Amino acid sequence: MGDAELILGQVLSFNGDPLTAGPAAARVEPQGAVLLADGRIADHGTAADLRAGWPQARITDMGDCLISAGFVDAHAHYPQTGIIASWGKRLIDWLDRYTFPEEMRFGDPEHAAAVASRYLDLLLDHGTTTVASYCTTHPASVDAFFAAARARGMRVVAGKTCMDRNAPEGLCDTATRAHDESAALIARWHGQGRATYAITPRFAPTSTPEQLEALGALWAAHPTCLMQTHLGEQTEEIEWVRALYPQARDYLDVYERAGLTGPGAVFGHAIHLTGRERQHLRDSGSSLVHCPTSNTFIGSGLFDMTGLADEGQRIGLATDTGGGSSFSMLRTMAAAYEVAQLRGQALHPAALWWLATAGAARALRLEDRIGNIATGMEADLIAVNLTATQAIAQRSARAEDMWEALFPTIMMGDDRAIAGVWVNGVRR
Ligand SMILES: [Zn+2]
């Protein structure tokens, strides 16, 4: 342990899920320390104990900063970086007007590399150390993304978006090409370093049943991959799915019939669900990802966080860049709080923070590696300044406990709050 680093601050960790178990499942060590060595969390505890136990370690004193696992963004579209905050559309018009023209540009490897680099640097500035991103239909867009993540040492999930109908010809593949190009990308990237491949049909309306079946077969052949897609985002979309797949019992059944549900299936949005869909999502071990800034920005609806959590769903949190309106998981937590309030649910700050770290990691089946501060976990950490702006500082100054001190940063914080980022044990 030659190059051990001891980070001092207020250390936040989880011994359970505060969303269902309550805030006691989160623990803050006010004068805490985390020991990093060889890219892992080697120890954590009180600053006094760790200083005594590891006298050779290099000390990084972050003062009163909160030391947390880095944020995990469980659903995003890196190719939409340049069209974030585009005005005036709902989902289907959004795709046609903004998304598809932008995604057409990603056949150019240089463009893809430039955007992937810019996007991942933006994420790190905002304290996000892992993301699950859609790419475009172009394999070059996937290569660019994984290469940019590897250059930064980041654990990421990504996959080629597959579409063989209802999209511009330049963005469409076929059932066979989707299968074969995805298979080649799995061979090139899945499990290499910190890369996880996700088989990625965009959503039911832009795939034929044949394409979904081909991707279901591919997933069955590569079960350690994830599968990511969209589900139940807008009511018009659900009507469209019903027209395109008249034999399906509901939207989820389209995926279910193709073998695209189960452990490692990650469904973005999941707002408008039938009882049968909710039951199958839970029973199959599939994951749901809440994208609150996107859901309000394009007018999709209000995710039922408490109801879904109480029935035992596996839930993560995400920006959904660029349908989502922020790169920040702090802003995303604030939006999750606001959306829940509109449903009469008040999410505790511990639950919000868990959703943005350990919960999102769990949704991606990465909870044994990232998303929490525990011995043996990979050392992706952030230091968060809880008094980063005047507006936040004047509120947190009168806080009577840790959560009251943290909540103003959740509601009003942005990249200025991120005082330090460590990726795989290396400070950025
Ligand atoms: Zn999305």
Side-chain angles (χ1 to χ4, degrees):
M1 222 176 267
D3 190 31
E5 178 179 9
L6 193 57
I7 303 170
L8 309 183
Q10 307 194 65
V11 177
L12 170 63
S13 60
F14 299 103
N15 51 36
D17 159 12
L19 191 57
T20 51
R27 184 183 148 70
V28 176
E29 182 60 59
Q31 299 195 315
V34 183
L35 183 76
L36 309 188
D38 304 322
R40 302 261 169 180
I41 295 171
D43 201 357
H44 68 110
T46 66
D49 285 352
L50 266 71
R51 290 183 97 139
W54 307 96
Q56 322 294 351
R58 179 162 46 92
I59 304 272
T60 303
D61 188 348
M62 298 306 296
D64 289 332
C65 281
L66 185 78
I67 311 299
S68 162
F71 294 133
V72 177
D73 184 344
H75 177 121
H77 302 256
Y78 96 83
Q80 297 177 23
T81 300
I83 59 158
I84 194 167
S86 293
W87 183 85
K89 302 293 180 192
R90 284 174 63 85
L91 175 63
I92 295 159
D93 295 332
W94 164 275
L95 290 171
D96 289 337
R97 172 70 178 82
Y98 296 121
T99 303
F100 291 154
E102 182 66 16
E103 291 193 358
M104 296 280 267
R105 304 174 66 193
F106 283 72
D108 172 6
E110 280 182 30
H111 179 72
V115 178
S117 289
R118 192 197 320 153
Y119 173 72
L120 290 176
D121 286 342
L122 278 166
L123 287 197
L124 292 171
D125 288 349
H126 287 83
T128 298
T129 49
T130 287
V131 64
S133 183
Y134 291 55
C135 301
T136 67
T137 38
H138 314 95
S141 74
V142 184
D143 289 330
F145 185 77
F146 278 128
R150 182 176 57 194
R152 289 160 180 77
M154 294 172 73
R155 178 166 287 291
V156 293
V157 177
K160 167 194 145 73
T161 296
C162 301
M163 298 194 282
D164 66 345
R165 63 170 164 174
N166 296 320
E169 202 178 316
L171 283 178
C172 280
D173 49 23
T174 63
T176 305
R177 256 185 60 209
H179 176 281
D180 294 353
E181 290 177 354
S182 299
L185 289 162
I186 289 168
R188 190 139 73 240
W189 293 108
H190 181 59
Q192 301 297 315
R194 305 187 81 198
T196 296
Y197 194 86
I199 293 164
T200 308
R202 172 172 237 117
F203 68 152
T206 48
S207 287
T208 59
E210 294 71 32
Q211 179 169 80
L212 295 180
E213 265 167 44
L215 295 175
L218 183 65
W219 194 26
H222 299 278
T224 61
C225 289
L226 298 180
M227 191 296 302
Q228 60 182 352
T229 190
H230 297 85
L231 175 71
E233 181 177 0
Q234 293 206 336
T235 49
E236 302 95 309
E237 170 208 15
I238 293 165
E239 289 305 312
W240 194 19
V241 171
R242 188 170 296 147
L244 289 169
Y245 293 89
Q247 72 287 9
R249 288 171 290 179
D250 47 47
Y251 194 160
L252 185 65
D253 194 37
V254 172
Y255 299 129
E256 192 177 336
R257 284 164 184 245
L260 295 172
T261 62
V266 182
F267 293 99
H269 302 296
I271 300 165
H272 308 284
L273 300 173
T274 66
R276 195 206 77 82
E277 288 176 303
R278 288 168 78 129
Q279 189 173 349
H280 181 68
L281 285 165
R282 185 195 53 206
D283 294 349
S284 65
S286 301
S287 300
L288 316 187
V289 180
H290 179 31
C291 308
T293 71
S294 171
N295 298 162
T296 53
F297 184 72
I298 60 174
S300 301
L302 306 175
F303 186 85
D304 180 16
M305 179 63 77
T306 302
L308 290 161
D310 286 349
E311 70 193 35
Q313 303 283 0
R314 186 177 281 256
I315 303 171
L317 190 65
T319 60
D320 192 28
T321 300
S325 54
S326 175
F327 297 101
S328 169
M329 291 302 288
L330 292 170
R331 173 69 197 115
T332 303
M333 284 183 241
Y337 179 79
E338 291 160 351
V339 165
Q341 281 282 58
L342 287 168
R343 295 196 68 124
Q345 308 164 357
L347 300 179
H348 192 275
L352 292 166
W353 207 274
W354 181 86
L355 281 165
T357 54
R362 181 169 171 266
L364 300 174
R365 301 254 166 197
L366 293 171
E367 69 269 31
D368 56 340
R369 299 172 181 225
I370 57 166
N372 197 5
I373 291 181
T375 301
M377 300 282 276
E378 296 173 3
D380 292 341
L381 300 180
I382 52 175
V384 183
N385 177 359
L386 300 182
T387 56
T389 67
Q390 287 286 349
I392 293 170
Q394 62 88 34
R395 176 63 186 89
S396 62
R398 50 199 292 176
E400 292 183 357
D401 66 29
M402 174 61 212
W403 299 118
E404 199 182 347
L406 175 57
F407 194 54
T409 290
I410 291 178
M411 292 311 299
M412 298 191 281
D414 54 29
D415 51 325
R416 289 170 290 179
I418 307 304
V421 179
W422 289 258
V423 177
N424 214 18
V426 178
R427 186 156 187 192
R428 293 268 311 164

